[in-house]
Amino acid sequence: MIRVFKDPDELLPALADFVTAFGRESVRERGRFNFVLSGGSSPGKLYELLTTPAYRSRLDWTKVCFFFGDERFVPANHPDSNFRMAKQKLFEPLGIVENRIFQIDTSREPEQAAADYEGRIRKHFQDSPCRFDLVLLGLGDDAHTASLFPHTPVLSESSRQVMSVFVAKLKSQRITLTVPSINQARQVCFLVYGKNKAPAVKKVLEGDRNPAELPAQLIKPEDGTLTWFLDEAAAAELKQVK
Ligand code: 6PG
């Protein structure tokens, strides 16, 4: 499903409504809400919105377990760290306790960090499938999502939940959830706004299928719902909004 809003001021509250409503449903039905956060800059305002009085009272945040869709391989206090951004904008304002945050440990070697994160995810889900309730994703100008970048080995991973990947064009080591991990989720939401994203949105949603070049095309929940939350600027090149 594609939902288009005039601008971020309309888009972000709509997504905050969606996240908190599904969070309440998850807690009601399963006793907890397994929420995977996106990195980058787009979600920062959403996280801040979730901590305002209008939203913080809508969900029992003590029942929320926070995961990361991906992490840059930098120290946790580095300006590029997705954990650092979430800590400042979400965890500290909401008083989230440490054992509810599944932080990717970037103090280890990349492969070890990936294996450790996967181990903690699997332990969290015990013997049941690692089925996150909601995975929040962004979209890069090159149509990457999480750290699933074009023409990288992680795109073809079919069994592991987490992998480390070196992104040559960014000269950046990353840790990322894999496609099968994301596609097991109950809800996957893309949060994409701004005119610079319009070409990538067009290619992913209406272009030829070419997942090696457009990794976001790989995101198709097996038994879940995919919703694109776009503003008009990011949706500007779409022929049809379904
Ligand atoms: C990351 C993100 C990445 C991000 C896109 C969009 O760690 O960078 O997980 O997938 O969502 O690159 O980033 P912006 O929101 O900054 O445009």
Side-chain angles (χ1 to χ4, degrees):
M1 186 191 337
I2 300 174
R3 298 179 64 184
V4 180
F5 301 85
K6 185 165 155 300
D7 55 28
D9 289 342
E10 280 193 15
L11 166 60
L12 294 167
L15 181 51
D17 291 345
F18 186 94
V19 168
T20 49
F22 193 69
R24 276 200 310 278
E25 182 185 315
S26 301
V27 170
R28 200 170 44 244
E29 290 184 6
R30 291 177 292 278
R32 63 189 187 184
F33 178 39
N34 293 314
F35 181 17
V36 179
L37 301 177
S38 170
S41 56
S42 298
K45 291 195 184 79
L46 172 71
Y47 300 160
E48 288 170 340
L49 185 59
L50 289 172
T51 68
T52 61
Y55 286 96
R56 66 185 303 145
S57 57
R58 292 196 190 183
L59 180 55
D60 177 357
W61 295 96
T62 65
K63 299 280 195 322
V64 183
C65 296
F66 293 93
F67 299 81
F68 290 86
D70 73 324
E71 183 58 278
R72 294 83 178 275
F73 211 74
V74 294
N77 60 359
H78 189 284
D80 288 349
S81 165
N82 289 334
F83 167 77
R84 178 177 180 265
M85 187 267 277
K87 181 180 172 203
Q88 285 175 342
K89 295 178 183 284
L90 194 61
F91 302 151
E92 284 178 343
L94 288 177
I96 306 296
V97 296
E98 212 169 293
N99 68 3
R100 290 288 190 206
I101 302 167
F102 289 71
Q103 179 185 355
I104 297 170
D105 179 359
T106 56
S107 67
R108 314 175 71 147
E109 289 302 308
E111 291 299 326
Q112 285 177 326
D116 168 72
Y117 186 42
E118 173 151 349
R120 283 183 288 129
I121 291 171
R122 288 186 183 280
K123 186 163 178 279
H124 176 70
F125 284 98
Q126 291 160 345
D127 298 334
S128 54
C130 300
R131 186 159 157 72
F132 294 112
D133 291 309
L134 193 150
V135 177
L136 180 64
L137 295 173
L139 184 73
D141 301 355
D142 61 353
H144 82 264
T145 189
S147 283
L148 303 168
F149 283 83
H151 307 294
T152 53
V154 64
L155 300 188
S156 57
E157 175 58 36
S158 59
S159 58
R160 279 183 284 182
Q161 299 285 314
V162 181
M163 271 182 75
S164 74
V165 58
F166 181 72
V167 185
K169 71 175 182 179
L170 299 177
K171 296 189 177 53
S172 165
Q173 187 73 42
R174 299 284 186 103
I175 304 286
T176 186
L177 291 184
T178 58
V179 172
S181 171
I182 295 168
N183 283 341
Q184 280 191 97
R186 291 185 171 83
Q187 298 280 351
V188 178
C189 297
F190 275 96
L191 167 61
V192 190
Y193 56 87
K195 65 179 186 312
N196 64 312
K197 299 293 174 80
V201 167
K202 164 78 178 171
K203 284 182 200 155
V204 168
L205 291 176
E206 294 182 348
D208 295 341
R209 181 152 179 78
N210 183 358
E213 190 64 30
L214 306 166
Q217 287 185 337
L218 292 167
I219 305 303
K220 288 185 180 314
E222 285 153 27
D223 178 19
T225 306
L226 172 61
T227 310
W228 288 75
F229 285 82
L230 306 172
D231 71 347
E232 286 176 359
E237 296 185 20
L238 291 182
K239 275 205 200 69
Q240 51 178 2
V241 178
K242 295 166 190 99

